[in-house]
Amino acid sequence: MELYHGSIVFSRTTEELASYTDSYLAVDNGTVEGIYPTLPESLRGAEITELGGDVLIPAFSDLHVHAPQYPQRGLAMDELLPQWLALHTFPLEARFSDMDYARAVYDAFLDDLVEHGTLHAVVFGTIHTEATGYLLERMEARGLDAYVGKVNMDCDSPASLLETTAGSLRATEDFLARYAANRFAKPILTPRFAPTCSRELLFGLGALGQKYGVGMQTHVVESLWEAAEAVRRFPDCSCDTEIYERAGLLDGGPVVAAHFIFPSEEDIRILRRHGGWAVQCPDATVSIIAGIMPTAALGDAGIPLALGSDLAAGHSAGIYSQAARAVQLSKIKSFYEPEGNRAISFARAFSMATKQSGALFGRVGSLEPGYRFDALRIGGLEDSFESLTPAEIVERFCYAGETKHIRARYLAGKELT
């Protein structure tokens, strides 16, 4: 049994932070056993870590990130999505046929993810099975909870990334068969988005998802062009999300809808029916996509919400900064589109970064009893002339924090070094 004495903050609900001071958090075999205002007699003699003025919070979850785009972060941010993809992203992703390059990028990417306190992630790879397999294997070896996808693209894509339908399905099945039994990092189906996938490919992926019991991640209604192009290519479907439903891609496992900025009522109904997560990527929204997710309205509709860094459309791996941006963007949307929209609270955004997103992986994302002790110790955020409450320290960290303010990272109860 290990004990941590000091301040503890986590999401009690989507709208309420639980905040403890001068309390003892007990960890038994990597799992939170309890939180006590005074040290129980039965725990006397256990090793105690004194937090001082620092605060324990849950580790973060990133539900939409492109690992191969890591070298592109912070570059070409003056482009809009079509030009950004064509001129920069697609040529970069084509380089992942080179395993020396892929290994170097993915090792650096994972180090940066952990440095920013993200210990659970849903990750896009590329079409390259060997490179994406290396990424998945490295996450498994490090004990990081993840869903990692080999990307599928068989039409309207650059020649360097264009697969044949049969070849894409064959490579995907090999990928699923190899990694489906993993403990931590698992495969997930990853059609890039409807405009780059044929009907045959999507229905074939749906069959594989049901055969191997795996879910799907993709970009859904992320732009007005994409929403319109999807239904133009699949005219028997009324909306983007229905394409994946008809293909059987929403039944095999977790469903992660990245961006979900321009959903129709039918998109929302379908995603809710299948228990899918909608992932807001605030920095990417500001940089290249030009649209704001209706966060509060989706939450009211019963859609599980999460945050994504969307590297490299987003320029930082820090999910904590995305929590702050989500609040800011909700205020902008409620001001300019007041009908049906309102600002979200910081508590809601922090839940999106921790507990609500962590639920995708099981009992992570909180410090309640029964949750795995995946946690961060943050500090160094107070001024000498004015003290803050633990909840205020957490809020300041999300708005103004840096990796230097993460004093320690704990995965399944073990401190990462």
Side-chain angles (χ1 to χ4, degrees):
M1 189 79 71
E2 297 89 37
L3 295 172
Y4 297 84
H5 177 226
S7 298
I8 305 148
V9 173
F10 56 86
S11 293
R12 193 186 308 280
T13 69
T14 57
E15 293 292 350
E16 181 187 3
L17 292 178
S19 182
Y20 296 82
T21 58
D22 192 21
S23 296
Y24 295 86
L25 184 141
V27 178
D28 183 20
N29 196 29
T31 300
V32 178
E33 186 271 338
I35 300 174
Y36 304 96
T38 58
L39 186 59
E41 186 67 33
S42 61
L43 297 181
R44 294 188 188 278
E47 182 181 348
I48 300 177
T49 298
E50 294 288 348
L51 299 174
D54 296 348
V55 180
L56 274 183
I57 63 173
F60 295 108
S61 296
D62 185 342
L63 263 58
H64 183 59
V65 57
H66 291 262
Q69 294 175 21
Y70 183 72
Q72 194 181 342
R73 68 197 186 284
L75 302 176
M77 292 286 94
D78 53 353
E79 302 275 15
L80 290 175
L81 183 60
Q83 295 75 28
W84 187 81
L85 288 171
L87 299 177
H88 306 283
T89 305
F90 289 154
L92 172 62
E93 290 192 9
R95 296 182 64 184
F96 283 77
S97 59
D98 178 347
M99 279 303 299
D100 288 337
Y101 184 72
R103 281 189 286 265
V105 171
Y106 287 155
D107 287 345
F109 163 75
L110 292 179
D111 286 345
D112 203 25
L113 212 64
V114 172
E115 180 74 8
H116 281 86
T118 299
L119 303 185
H120 329 106
V122 180
V123 190
F124 266 63
T126 61
I127 65 167
H128 309 96
T129 307
E130 185 179 2
T132 307
Y134 175 81
L135 171 62
L136 191 151
E137 289 165 8
R138 292 304 305 143
M139 298 190 83
E140 175 75 7
R142 295 177 72 157
L144 301 174
D145 281 321
Y147 288 99
V148 181
K150 174 229 166 303
V151 173
N152 302 101
M153 306 164 65
D154 73 336
C155 62
D156 291 315
S157 301
S160 58
L161 294 175
L162 189 64
E163 304 174 288
T164 65
T165 304
S168 184
L169 291 171
R170 184 169 55 252
T172 300
E173 181 157 22
D174 289 345
F175 186 75
L176 298 180
R178 189 183 314 165
Y179 298 116
N182 275 15
R183 180 180 177 187
F184 301 111
K186 301 177 183 296
I188 189 169
L189 295 170
T190 308
R192 189 171 207 114
F193 61 175
T196 60
C197 296
S198 68
R199 181 181 297 271
E200 183 182 357
L201 177 59
L202 290 180
F203 276 76
L205 291 175
L208 288 177
Q210 293 174 43
K211 176 179 177 179
Y212 288 92
V214 298
M216 180 200 71
Q217 63 171 337
T218 192
H219 303 90
V220 184
V221 290
E222 69 171 310
S223 69
L224 292 172
W225 170 84
E226 190 267 334
E229 183 68 7
V231 295
R232 186 186 74 79
R233 290 169 181 266
F234 295 84
D236 55 331
C237 296
S238 63
C239 65
D240 197 357
T241 314
E242 186 180 355
I243 297 167
Y244 305 107
E245 183 180 50
R246 289 203 179 195
L249 279 160
L250 307 186
D251 298 320
V255 176
V256 181
H259 301 295
F260 216 63
I261 295 172
F262 300 103
S264 66
E265 288 300 318
E266 187 62 12
D267 282 305
I268 294 170
R269 279 193 290 271
I270 292 171
L271 192 64
R272 181 175 58 231
R273 183 158 62 238
H274 295 275
W277 275 257
V279 186
Q280 184 174 19
C281 304
D283 276 347
T285 286
V286 172
S287 294
I288 63 168
I289 294 175
I292 301 175
M293 176 192 277
T295 314
L298 291 175
D300 291 345
I303 301 295
L305 300 173
L307 292 173
S309 64
D310 197 20
L311 286 174
H315 51 270
S316 169
I319 285 296
Y320 50 89
S321 63
Q322 299 311 297
R325 304 284 190 278
V327 176
Q328 293 170 328
L329 290 181
S330 72
K331 292 163 74 175
I332 293 172
K333 192 169 185 71
S334 68
F335 182 82
Y336 287 102
E337 303 174 46
E339 186 174 349
N341 294 300
R342 69 176 189 284
I344 64 170
S345 65
F346 173 72
R348 162 72 83 170
F350 189 73
S351 171
M352 292 167 64
T354 56
K355 187 175 183 178
Q356 201 164 19
S357 52
L360 182 74
F361 306 96
R363 299 285 281 179
V364 300
S366 180
L367 297 179
E368 298 165 83
Y371 277 75
R372 197 172 71 201
F373 187 63
D374 292 357
L376 309 176
R377 176 177 174 173
I378 61 170
L381 291 141
E382 291 186 278
D383 299 312
S384 60
F385 48 82
E386 190 166 358
S387 62
L388 300 174
T389 67
E392 288 173 335
I393 290 173
V394 173
E395 185 173 12
R396 177 169 287 177
F397 172 64
C398 289
Y399 276 87
E402 302 174 42
T403 56
K404 68 181 181 181
H405 296 119
I406 304 177
R407 317 275 209 177
R409 300 155 183 82
Y410 302 94
L411 179 62
K414 297 188 182 336
E415 184 172 357
L416 300 178
T417 57

